[in-house]
Amino acid sequence: MTTFSSAPVLITGGARRIGLALARSFLARSIPVILSYRTPYTELDALRQAGAICLAADFSTTENIYAFAEQIRSLTPRLRAMIHNASRWEPETPTTPPEQTLADMLQIHVYTPYLLNQLLEPCLRGQGIAGADIIHLTDYVVEKGSEKHIAYAASKAALDNMTRSFARKLAPEVKVNAIAPGLILFKEQDDDAYRQQALEKSLMKIAPGEEEIVRLVEYLLSSRYMTGKTLGVDGGRALR
Ligand SMILES: NC(=O)c1ccc[n+]([C@@H]2O[C@H](COP(=O)([O-])OP(=O)(O)OC[C@H]3O[C@@H](n4cnc5c(N)ncnc54)[C@H](OP(=O)(O)O)[C@@H]3O)[C@@H](O)[C@H]2O)c1
């Protein structure tokens, strides 16, 4: 067992973009962090120096998910929170068999959080009423579907639904909520035309950046009452 100053927060896919921003914000507030990464980004050095425990994990098989849960249990008896951030945004393409796209999307957005929630339940319980949190990162497309990312949208919709099931199962010890972002930040390779088109989709017409999710996660962890909710952070997209 590792000695932590308090129960750590577990973030999947915590070595880049939103997951990285979350890890940094917890570390800056002296909240211990365990994160998973798949690609060994250079940011991992600084995260480790700041005290994060960074575990290589590829959730593409059930065995790997079980092994990861076992690793967490061997590190700590308690988790303050588990943030399901790891994700892939795969479109349907003519070159990938559709069953492969569907399997990949279900694996990372459904199997992984479903199994980790079940396997790590003992680490989340036992900390009093509202003593721990699960947060599912879903997507605005859960509401509307997506003609280019059908399997992605369906898998995030399943994750959104699990928010309510796990909230019911784990209350009142563990609160379970979902954050459904619209556009938060662009990828480096997004060209100007794509960026303009994406910005036009919301009322707010900005890509607000990771801080928007960081603040919402802070709020969710501070709440003693909010559970089973999906919080949209989408610049008012449905009203366009
Ligand atoms: N960014 C946005 O504007 C936006 C909009 C809507 C929803 N969201 C949601 O918000 C969350 C964070 O978004 P983001 O843009 O920061 O995500 P991201 O950059 O795509 O990062 C996701 C992380 O998950 C990891 N991952 C993917 N498949 C994995 C696997 N099989 N095993 C282990 N790790 C795996 C990736 O590892 P690799 O680095 O090795 O690929 C990556 O580090 C996601 O759940 C996303 O769906 C984001």
Side-chain angles (χ1 to χ4, degrees):
M1 288 268 164
T2 306
T3 307
F4 294 99
S5 55
S6 58
V9 172
L10 172 61
I11 307 168
T12 62
R16 75 171 191 189
R17 289 161 57 87
I18 290 172
L20 175 62
L22 286 168
R24 285 177 172 153
S25 87
F26 286 119
L27 293 167
R29 289 178 286 137
S30 301
I31 298 169
V33 168
I34 303 175
L35 63 87
S36 79
Y37 66 92
R38 187 173 59 167
T39 304
Y41 297 106
T42 51
E43 283 78 3
L44 288 167
D45 290 341
L47 287 166
R48 287 193 172 105
Q49 269 164 29
I53 300 219
C54 305
L55 305 175
D58 182 341
F59 300 124
S60 55
T61 67
T62 300
E63 298 72 47
N64 287 359
I65 299 169
Y66 270 80
F68 180 74
E70 192 47 51
Q71 223 179 337
I72 299 297
R73 280 197 301 254
S74 70
L75 283 169
T76 179
R78 294 278 171 263
L79 286 172
R80 169 63 189 83
M82 180 152 56
I83 304 180
H84 292 289
N85 169 77
S87 174
R88 288 174 61 185
W89 192 51
E90 297 297 327
E92 278 73 26
T93 66
T95 48
T96 310
E99 63 275 21
Q100 186 61 53
T101 307
L102 183 61
D104 289 349
M105 294 297 91
L106 293 176
Q107 183 68 29
I108 192 63
H109 301 134
V110 182
Y111 278 79
T112 303
Y114 172 81
L115 287 174
L116 290 180
N117 286 353
Q118 302 273 19
L119 296 169
L120 295 176
E121 181 179 328
C123 299
L124 293 159
R125 287 196 187 271
Q127 301 175 84
I129 292 177
D133 285 81
I134 293 174
I135 299 178
H136 296 149
L137 268 291
T138 63
D139 196 299
Y140 169 76
V141 297
V142 165
E143 271 182 49
K144 280 193 83 169
S146 164
E147 67 270 35
K148 291 185 184 148
H149 294 83
I150 297 171
Y152 169 84
S155 64
K156 288 285 194 177
L159 180 57
D160 183 57
N161 180 268
M162 283 199 288
T163 305
R164 291 175 290 282
S165 297
F166 279 108
R168 294 173 73 142
K169 180 178 187 223
L170 300 177
E173 288 180 291
V174 185
K175 294 165 17 251
V176 185
N177 291 289
I179 295 177
L183 171 64
I184 298 297
L185 69 161
F186 288 110
K187 295 188 192 307
E188 255 175 53
Q189 66 271 23
D190 293 337
D191 64 25
D192 283 350
Y194 174 83
R195 286 176 192 239
Q196 204 45 50
Q197 193 193 22
L199 290 169
E200 285 298 326
K201 285 183 180 169
S202 80
L203 290 180
M204 302 309 288
K205 298 187 190 302
I206 58 166
E210 301 93 318
E211 207 40 46
E212 200 66 37
I213 304 297
V214 168
R215 281 196 293 268
L216 198 45
V217 167
E218 264 176 50
Y219 168 71
L220 286 173
L221 296 200
S222 71
S223 167
R224 289 184 47 76
Y225 201 44
M226 183 175 281
T227 194
K229 289 290 174 199
T230 298
L231 304 176
V233 195
D234 55 29
R237 226 172 119 169
L239 304 175
R240 280 285 291 166

